Amino acid sequence: MALKKLKWITTLVGLMMIVAFTSACGIKSDITIGTQTYTETKIIAEIYKALIEDQTDLKVDIIPDLASSSLVINAMKKNDVQMSTLYTGEIFNNHFPISGTKDRAEVLKEAQEGFQEYFGFTWMNPLGFENTYAFTVRRDLAETNGYTKISDVKKDMANMKLGVDTTWLERSTDGYPAFSKAYDIKFGQIFPMEISLVYSAVANEQVDIVLAYSTDSRLKAYELQTLQDDKQFFPPYDASPVLRSDLLKEHPEIQDAIAPIVGKLDADTMISLNYQVDIEKKSEREVAIAYLKEQGLLKS
């Protein structure tokens, strides 16, 4: 009951933010982009905005810091927001019936077909990276021991200390018990901690391996290396532009404007862009514009 109440309060606060933002803007924009709270969605929104305003006559606003992807989706359903960045693994959050496959291409197909059928959203092809759980080690340890994929650590697992998000240890379907069974890996010691602490913990050699997020800027800051999920245990979370289909029907030029970045933003690029905001303290817009100019994608 308490969890349901918390979710309701979070949704209410998010909707109040949208109302306050749209009321304060005065002149209505042609497109409003909603972002989640994390950095990369804000950078990508600025990239969309810059491309659309550079190559069309449309005006774009951004509403940042919506508490969750589900809130972004609800805002798009209400037409308070018309565009966002969502991740293919979103289909596992009970929006509509799915097959349960973890095949990357099939998950994308189900996202594209399901969100069109049930929500009237056009889910474009991925930008080129995914943000998902990733087992991570220090780069020097990976080079010394030849670690490139998760299976490579099995030979050393008994002597390895794992630092991991506390909640992940307890999840039945995609947590540690299921992972251990899928990979036949049991680490020697496990240290539960907040996920924000795993990066410094592995960098400072307090643990040997951690479960992190695959595009977090701290991977670069601490010189960490992610390991390939060679048994495809984690669902794919490919980032894609998502728009209301009625908007795209009215303004097909939007798709042409953002097409140059579809398939072009790989994980290393996204980590670098996140790093510039999170660590170097540049603004999301500054980083987005610099990236687009570097790629020669802006006319003006």
Side-chain angles (χ1 to χ4, degrees):
M1 190 68 175
L3 181 58
K4 287 184 179 178
K5 185 176 180 181
L6 179 60
K7 288 182 177 178
W8 180 84
I9 291 172
T10 300
T11 301
L12 180 61
V13 170
L15 292 173
M16 289 171 66
M17 285 175 59
I18 294 171
V19 171
F21 179 87
T22 52
S23 298
C25 283
I27 300 173
K28 182 172 173 58
S29 63
D30 300 295
I31 308 168
T32 300
I33 301 172
T35 86
Q36 298 87 329
T37 56
Y38 34 100
T39 301
E40 71 192 23
T41 59
K42 300 176 188 179
I43 296 172
I44 295 169
E46 292 288 358
I47 289 175
Y48 297 153
K49 175 181 169 72
L51 286 172
I52 293 168
E53 292 189 338
D54 182 63
Q55 300 181 37
T56 76
D57 295 327
L58 301 171
K59 297 300 178 185
V60 180
D61 280 329
I62 297 173
I63 302 179
D65 292 316
L66 299 179
S68 65
S69 290
S70 62
L71 183 57
V72 171
I73 291 167
N74 285 333
M76 288 184 66
K77 284 171 62 179
K78 295 175 182 294
N79 205 22
D80 293 322
V81 164
Q82 293 80 44
M83 184 176 183
S84 66
T85 299
L86 296 173
Y87 300 78
T88 52
E90 184 64 35
I91 68 169
F92 295 95
N93 290 331
N94 301 315
H95 295 295
F96 43 76
I98 60 171
S99 68
T101 180
K102 292 181 183 177
D103 179 81
R104 199 168 186 176
E106 285 300 313
V107 170
L108 172 62
K109 182 181 178 184
E110 290 191 38
Q112 291 177 324
E113 293 177 352
F115 275 92
Q116 180 61 62
E117 178 181 352
Y118 291 90
F119 293 87
F121 297 171
T122 297
W123 190 294
M124 293 180 63
N125 285 333
L127 292 166
F129 73 94
E130 63 172 332
N131 187 355
T132 187
Y133 274 133
F135 277 94
T136 305
V137 296
R138 294 184 305 280
R139 193 172 299 159
D140 63 323
L141 188 66
E143 292 172 354
T144 299
N145 294 287
Y147 299 154
T148 60
K149 57 187 185 296
I150 295 173
S151 294
D152 292 338
V153 307
K154 183 175 179 179
K155 64 183 187 298
D156 301 318
M157 63 182 183
N159 298 317
M160 296 186 79
K161 294 177 287 186
L162 170 68
V164 66
D165 176 19
T166 306
T167 58
W168 185 76
L169 289 174
E170 302 163 358
R171 282 162 35 179
S172 56
T173 56
D174 63 347
Y176 185 63
F179 163 81
S180 185
K181 182 177 180 180
Y183 273 96
D184 191 24
I185 288 176
K186 291 184 179 179
F187 293 104
Q189 293 178 273
I190 300 173
F191 295 87
M193 61 183 71
E194 293 294 325
I195 195 161
S196 61
L197 301 177
V198 301
Y199 302 92
S200 58
V202 70
N204 296 330
E205 302 186 23
Q206 295 168 304
V207 294
D208 304 302
I209 184 169
V210 296
L211 190 61
Y213 288 124
S214 59
T215 56
D216 196 290
S217 59
R218 287 166 291 191
L219 296 175
K220 179 177 179 178
Y222 291 120
E223 298 187 339
L224 305 177
Q225 179 173 317
T226 58
L227 304 178
Q228 178 193 352
D229 181 8
D230 51 308
K231 293 188 182 294
Q232 208 167 31
F233 174 76
F234 296 110
Y237 276 84
D238 287 291
S240 296
V242 180
L243 304 93
R244 285 180 57 97
S245 297
D246 55 358
L247 172 73
L248 205 51
K249 185 176 181 180
E250 185 178 356
H251 295 290
E253 65 270 29
I254 296 171
Q255 188 160 354
D256 294 334
I258 65 174
I261 63 163
V262 173
K264 299 300 193 318
L265 275 172
D266 61 23
D268 286 341
T269 299
M270 200 66 247
I271 290 170
S272 178
L273 297 180
N274 285 336
Y275 181 91
Q276 292 175 55
V277 173
D278 294 336
I279 308 300
E280 296 179 349
K281 303 304 179 185
K282 297 177 182 178
S283 73
E284 290 90 355
R285 181 160 184 78
E286 178 185 5
V287 169
I289 296 296
Y291 167 75
L292 290 172
K293 285 183 176 178
E294 182 183 295
Q295 300 299 310
L297 296 177
L298 293 180
K299 293 178 181 177
S300 56

